[in-house]
Amino acid sequence: MSISKLFAEKNVVFSFEIFPPKRDSSIDTIWNTLEQLEGLGPDFISVTYGAGGGGGKSYTAQIAGAIRRKYGILPLAHLTCVNSTREEIKQSLADLREEGVEDILALRGDRIPGVEPKTDFPHASDLISFIREEGGFSLSGACYPEVHTEAPDPVTDIRNLKKKVDAGAEHLVSQLFFDNAAFYAFVERARIAGITVPIEAGIMPVVNAKQITRMVSLCGASLPQKFARMISRYEGNPAALRDAGIAYAVDQIVDLIAQGVEGIHLYTMNDPDVARRISGAVENLRRA
Ligand code: FAD
């Protein structure tokens, strides 16, 4: 079954995101993480691809294959195109086929400072069209409730998103956000623009102070007053910040599910304890 079909069957799709280890020597840690995530019953698990500009690139297909074979969970393999040629993408598709992976989150990827981007696929929609022509995969795309950092305005960003869906994206996963109102307004804009595919809300539990500055500078998520107050109060107390960050994420998820969101994509940061605490807190909501 492809991921987009899950949405027809489930009240709320609940998925996790993990990232491959940066060093070869750390690959065992990902198997330990997956052992623990398996028991939480996610509908699918996505695996990032070279996020942050490098590292772990070659493990995405291998880890996604193991998620399917070893744990019997649907994998969603991320694939970026900004630094790849057509031939390199063909090779990545062959690797995914060999691993039996059928769902791809097709992304442009971030430009690496000082590295000239390749020109075969300028946008994610170009990658989506290409994979669709190659055949054999179901495709997902990324979306940005608070507008992609390079987009000139929200209208242009939504128009570009529509191109991605028209090219063949059957499901969208959102960038993280801390303000649910921004997500609701975005979904409304998308629906008005004729984007009808399921949109999953990306939730990132903030469990350490370092994470916040990095994330906000990368994705430009706005910080509601309630969130900012929580951070400034507990940033010097790691255990309290962890509890508060988890509670904030749970609060966001409860509101999203109550408002009828189609799916929650939890950025687990490879931390099974955080995933377990959040999954446990919303277990009955997933079924209600
Ligand atoms: P695009 O859809 O190509 O959009 C990028 C920009 O170009 C936007 O401003 C858009 O408005 C504009 N645009 C799009 N199409 C057109 C067009 N046809 N004409 C003109 N302008 C256009 N990065 C990684 O490196 N690895 C990962 O695994 C990874 N996973 C991610 C998962 C999620 C859920 C999200 C939200 C992001 C992820 N990223 C990952 C980051 C992502 O690669 C960056 O945000 C990147 O800057 C944009 O990728 P995109 O696929 O959204 O690009």
Side-chain angles (χ1 to χ4, degrees):
M1 181 196 317
S2 73
I3 284 165
S4 60
K5 299 223 167 61
L6 282 175
F7 290 87
E9 292 186 356
K10 301 260 172 182
N11 229 359
V12 193
V13 168
F14 196 69
S15 57
F16 293 154
E17 179 169 309
I18 60 166
F19 55 86
K22 293 262 184 279
R23 283 183 301 276
D24 291 0
S25 56
S26 314
I27 185 72
D28 281 346
T29 59
I30 205 73
W31 308 132
N32 293 337
T33 302
L34 282 168
E35 300 280 342
Q36 297 181 62
L37 294 182
E38 179 196 12
L40 306 178
D43 294 309
F44 70 86
I45 298 181
S46 84
V47 188
T48 66
Y49 182 91
K57 217 170 189 168
S58 56
Y59 284 120
T60 301
Q62 188 187 333
I63 294 169
I67 289 172
R68 184 185 69 78
R69 276 191 312 275
K70 208 166 156 201
Y71 304 101
I73 298 169
L74 266 177
L76 172 64
H78 298 207
L79 181 63
T80 63
C81 59
V82 69
N83 296 308
S84 300
T85 61
R86 194 170 290 253
E87 284 316 307
E88 286 165 337
I89 292 293
K90 277 192 173 182
Q91 184 54 54
S92 296
L93 297 180
D95 294 344
L96 291 169
R97 269 192 209 101
E98 202 175 305
E99 294 285 352
V101 176
E102 294 175 355
D103 285 273
I104 297 178
L105 177 56
L107 300 142
R108 187 198 68 183
D110 282 321
R111 300 191 175 110
I112 304 172
V115 175
E116 191 61 31
K118 301 267 167 58
T119 52
D120 284 352
F121 305 101
H123 306 292
S125 53
D126 302 308
L127 178 64
I128 290 172
S129 302
F130 179 75
I131 302 175
R132 202 168 167 205
E133 276 165 30
E134 292 283 299
F137 293 99
S138 295
L139 294 156
S140 303
C143 61
Y144 301 84
E146 296 180 85
V147 184
H148 185 260
T149 46
E150 291 165 35
D153 56 71
V155 173
T156 311
D157 207 30
I158 286 280
R159 285 203 181 117
N160 290 333
L161 184 61
K162 177 80 164 54
K163 288 181 197 158
K164 195 146 58 174
V165 173
D166 291 344
E170 298 166 43
H171 149 238
L172 298 170
V173 185
S174 94
Q175 180 61 282
L176 64 94
F177 59 90
F178 302 109
D179 180 1
N180 285 4
F183 180 79
Y184 300 136
F186 160 75
V187 173
E188 195 174 0
R189 287 197 301 279
R191 298 307 182 216
I192 289 168
I195 295 169
T196 56
V197 298
I199 301 177
E200 262 193 291
I203 297 295
M204 164 86 76
V206 170
V207 291
N208 68 63
K210 223 171 65 194
Q211 223 182 328
I212 302 153
T213 351
R214 215 184 131 255
M215 268 170 1
V216 173
S217 69
L218 276 178
C219 72
S222 59
L223 304 182
Q225 223 178 48
K226 181 176 158 185
F227 181 87
R229 239 184 260 126
M230 171 189 95
I231 301 299
S232 70
R233 168 111 202 212
Y234 300 117
E235 63 189 340
N237 182 337
L241 182 61
R242 192 173 173 86
D243 283 355
I246 290 171
Y248 191 92
V250 169
D251 194 37
Q252 273 193 285
I253 295 172
V254 170
D255 180 60
L256 285 159
I257 296 181
Q259 297 290 332
V261 74
E262 291 152 298
I264 302 287
H265 187 68
L266 193 65
Y267 294 102
T268 68
M269 304 303 287
N270 292 6
D271 186 334
D273 174 58
V274 171
R276 186 179 317 108
R277 288 175 63 182
I278 292 177
S279 301
V282 299
E283 199 179 336
N284 294 318
L285 276 65
R286 284 171 65 185
R287 286 185 262 279

